[in-house]
Amino acid sequence: MALAINIEDLLNKQKIESNRIEFKKGWNPASIYHSVCAFANDFNDLGGGYILVGVDSDDDTGMAIRPVEGVPVEKIDGILQEMVGYNNKMSPYYMPRTSVEGVDGKQVLVIWCPAGINRPYSVPENVTAKNGSKEYFYIRSGTSSIIAKGEVLDELRELASRIPFDERGNPDIKLEDISTLLLREYLVKVGSKLANELYERPLSEILEQMDLFVGPSENRMLRNVAAMMFCENPSKFFKRTQVEVVFFPEGRLANPNNIYEAPIITGSVTQIIERTLEYLNRMVVMQTIIKPKNDNHSIKFYTYPYQALEESITNSLYHRDYREWEPVVITVEPKGITIQNVGGPDRSIPSADINRGELLISKRYRNRRLGEYLKELELTEGRSTGIPTIQNVLKANGSPRAIVVTDEERTFFRITIPCHEEAGNIIADIVSRDATKLPNGIKDGIKDGIKEPTVRQQLIVNLINQDDTITTAILAQKTGLSQRTLMRELTALQAKGFLTREGGRKDGKWVILNVNK
């Protein structure tokens, strides 16, 4: 069956870290199974790796030599049969995925070795030895597979109880929860040939090839990451998987009562990321051009560099603790945007590095497979590069540095992206663009000096102006407010004289008052 990634990306070492890709000129099972074991152990939580048999590499650059050597077609079936026996020699049993890919007019055998859930794994030093040979635990060290010894072996054994949350099986996720549309969209984006097989083979076979099932044959379960990526409503399994955007036109401390809550953003993890970025790009990313006197060169800057927002939002969904019932919250104030998610950085990252807001190198990842998918979709630069990328693009834009904050217990992660200092307060403009114009009655009331409604109240009135029989349930849904908050705002509008209610709860309607009368 086909790979879940494009073969050219592997040959060119794109989207996947180079130390997760190994080229083998020919079929050498003794050496190859050292790497199979090392990738399965996934000591650094990188997500396993790929072995390409029939591809030679340049000694200096480590890149694939083209055209490839290839594997003779007549030998491929024999190699696959041999692998069945070699897989049984691994302890515990481990089965890598295989795919035969056409490259440069020849056949390349790709062995995909996902991170195993029963680590640590060991394998005989020579799987071809008939009388058996001593078994060793192998791990990756850079681009090599080496024997784990001493403290490293002790740490590898400790990993047996640590399975990233997104890789765990979830009995509540059913095949019918998986959207074939989302799945195909992903496969097409990454250039996988599996996209062509999606409607020709059972969905379970496609997901099996993508290593999205876990557990024994009598109790196969889909992994959590399957719902995160390919379910249109992952909140069904991970409560409040959503993004909430809140605007404070005067600043949260200056006037916490002047607040506008944008509609809640939901969907699969990738949909949430894309929808949030589209919304913020439309609302807050603006370019300014300044032409200094006596200078022919214009100065250009953005309120917020798009890439800084992209990295921050992607990382917030990537590193979020999906066991916690808390959304990703984005707070927009005149001086900056703050993005906060539950689940702080790993304790292996020193507090001093976090306070500096620079390179944060983690040895363990809460959702390593999710991160792999996001990188393949080019939504993030790669592991440990997010904060440096953000700081670099802010510097290039002439903006202040981002500020990173967490607590001692590492229960949350917060990053503040500052607005360019020359941009001024753009928030008032933002919220007025997001809400439609007020009805004349309220406009006149403002002119006569009656206290102006907040932006959130204006949005409520706009919806009522469009449909005076609208229910509070639909108002809450369209504004993204809770019923309690909505009722508080409706009461405030009536107290200000902007709104009244005529008739009963079931057969009544709202009336927008002309306050000039």
Side-chain angles (χ1 to χ4, degrees):
M1 193 179 285
L3 284 172
I5 190 172
N6 190 295
I7 182 66
E8 289 295 331
D9 288 335
L10 294 177
L11 290 166
N12 297 323
K13 294 189 175 181
Q14 294 176 338
K15 299 183 181 179
I16 302 293
E17 291 89 341
S18 60
N19 58 345
R20 296 179 54 212
I21 302 171
E22 188 167 294
F23 299 135
K24 293 290 186 181
K25 183 177 180 180
W27 174 240
N28 181 2
S31 171
I32 286 172
Y33 266 81
H34 295 170
S35 295
V36 170
C37 179
F39 284 134
N41 279 324
D42 195 27
F43 183 69
N44 291 311
D45 271 351
L46 296 177
Y50 299 82
I51 303 167
L52 280 67
V53 183
V55 181
D56 199 4
S57 60
D58 185 275
D59 292 336
D60 296 324
T61 65
M63 297 300 291
I65 296 175
R66 307 291 292 268
V68 299
E69 292 281 336
V71 178
V73 175
E74 64 274 12
K75 291 187 177 181
I76 290 177
D77 283 344
I79 292 173
L80 295 176
Q81 287 296 323
E82 286 181 39
M83 288 185 66
V84 174
Y86 299 148
N87 295 341
N88 282 300
K89 290 188 177 184
M90 289 190 63
S91 181
Y93 173 78
Y94 175 84
M95 185 182 73
R97 272 65 175 169
T98 58
S99 178
V100 179
E101 301 283 328
V103 179
D104 300 338
K106 303 199 179 155
Q107 301 298 307
V108 169
L109 174 62
V110 181
I111 304 173
W112 176 33
C113 308
I117 62 169
N118 296 314
R119 59 186 179 184
Y121 294 90
S122 62
V123 71
E125 184 177 18
N126 185 358
V127 292
T128 64
K130 294 183 179 180
N131 298 324
S133 62
K134 189 172 181 180
E135 292 189 7
Y136 292 100
F137 297 92
Y138 290 86
I139 62 169
R140 295 293 285 182
S141 176
T143 57
S144 302
S145 298
I146 63 171
I147 297 172
K149 299 178 180 178
E151 293 180 357
V152 172
L153 179 57
D154 293 339
E155 187 176 350
L156 176 62
R157 287 179 169 137
E158 288 177 7
L159 293 177
S161 60
R162 289 192 232 161
I163 301 175
F165 178 75
D166 64 335
E167 298 225 48
R168 298 176 191 174
N170 190 327
D172 295 329
I173 305 171
K174 308 301 181 187
L175 271 180
E176 52 266 29
D177 294 313
I178 302 301
S179 166
T180 53
L181 292 176
L182 288 177
L183 182 57
R184 189 176 191 282
E185 182 181 9
Y186 164 78
L187 293 172
V188 169
K189 283 183 177 178
V190 300
S192 170
K193 293 179 181 177
L194 275 179
N196 300 325
E197 301 179 15
L198 186 57
Y199 299 113
E200 299 173 0
R201 294 175 176 267
L203 178 59
S204 58
E205 286 188 13
I206 301 294
L207 297 175
E208 193 75 63
Q209 176 67 6
M210 295 176 69
D211 191 40
L212 288 173
F213 276 107
V214 67
S217 57
E218 68 275 11
N219 185 30
R220 299 295 276 166
M221 292 182 290
L222 282 165
R223 299 181 191 267
N224 283 321
V225 72
M228 294 175 185
M229 286 291 299
F230 309 120
C231 177
E232 292 181 347
N233 182 27
S235 287
K236 179 179 177 181
F237 312 103
F238 324 111
K239 300 298 183 184
R240 302 193 76 185
T241 299
Q242 59 195 46
V243 167
E244 298 178 3
V245 185
V246 183
F247 293 87
F248 290 92
E250 300 170 63
R252 182 166 36 184
L253 296 179
N255 188 353
N257 295 320
N258 188 4
I259 181 175
Y260 167 57
E261 295 177 351
I264 293 172
I265 301 172
T266 59
S268 68
V269 169
T270 49
Q271 285 178 321
I272 291 174
I273 293 171
E274 289 167 352
R275 290 167 180 172
T276 303
L277 287 170
E278 189 279 330
Y279 178 76
L280 291 179
N281 188 42
R282 174 168 55 88
M283 300 300 291
V284 304
V285 178
M286 307 172 196
Q287 187 183 51
T288 298
I289 301 175
I290 299 176
K291 294 184 178 180
K293 293 181 179 180
N294 304 321
D295 193 338
N296 293 328
H297 297 91
S298 299
I299 300 173
K300 298 181 181 180
F301 63 83
Y302 289 89
T303 47
Y304 299 95
Y306 179 82
Q307 193 176 3
L309 296 178
E310 182 179 45
E311 281 288 333
S312 301
I313 291 163
T314 301
N315 284 337
S316 70
L317 271 299
Y318 168 20
H319 297 295
R320 176 183 186 264
D321 189 342
Y322 286 85
R323 295 169 297 182
E324 299 290 336
W325 294 11
E326 292 294 335
V328 172
V329 178
I330 300 176
T331 305
V332 185
E333 300 183 70
K335 292 187 177 180
I337 295 176
T338 298
I339 302 162
Q340 179 170 310
N341 61 275
V342 293
D346 190 79
R347 291 185 177 276
S348 61
I349 302 174
S351 297
D353 289 354
I354 296 171
N355 294 334
R356 282 195 296 269
E358 295 178 351
L359 184 65
L360 305 183
I361 300 177
S362 176
K363 290 187 66 177
R364 302 287 169 247
Y365 292 89
R366 185 177 290 111
N367 303 303
R368 66 182 174 192
R369 186 72 173 276
L370 179 61
E372 187 176 332
Y373 280 132
L374 295 177
K375 186 178 180 188
E376 288 170 5
L377 290 170
E378 298 182 346
L379 286 170
T380 184
E381 290 288 318
R383 290 175 172 84
S384 303
T385 61
I387 300 299
T389 297
I390 292 167
Q391 303 291 24
N392 288 338
V393 296
L394 285 171
K395 182 178 180 180
N397 190 56
S399 302
R401 287 173 59 82
I403 300 172
V404 177
V405 178
T406 188
D407 59 352
E408 291 184 6
E409 290 76 27
R410 307 290 173 91
T411 61
F412 72 90
F413 185 83
R414 182 191 305 143
I415 183 167
T416 299
I417 309 296
C419 186
H420 195 286
E421 293 172 336
E422 298 295 326
N425 187 350
I426 63 170
I427 307 299
D429 237 13
I430 288 171
V431 294
S432 65
R433 282 190 283 122
D434 202 36
T436 54
K437 294 181 179 180
L438 292 174
N440 288 332
I442 290 187
K443 287 183 180 178
D444 294 340
I446 293 171
K447 290 177 183 176
D448 284 350
I450 295 178
K451 187 175 180 182
E452 181 179 354
T454 66
V455 173
R456 182 160 63 183
Q457 292 167 357
Q458 291 172 4
L459 181 59
I460 293 170
V461 173
N462 293 335
L463 292 169
I464 291 173
N465 189 52
Q466 296 167 15
D467 178 8
D468 58 9
T469 63
I470 191 169
T471 65
T472 56
I474 294 177
L475 272 174
Q477 180 183 2
K478 289 193 173 184
T479 58
L481 303 176
S482 66
Q483 281 282 354
R484 180 180 296 180
T485 302
L486 176 67
M487 295 308 297
R488 186 172 64 243
E489 297 294 1
L490 287 170
T491 300
L493 281 167
Q494 293 176 76
K496 292 177 181 179
F498 294 141
L499 192 65
T500 190
R501 178 80 181 177
E502 290 184 355
R505 184 170 63 88
K506 292 185 178 179
D507 57 353
K509 66 177 183 178
W510 297 102
V511 177
I512 298 172
L513 301 176
N514 188 329
V515 292
N516 277 329
K517 294 181 179 179

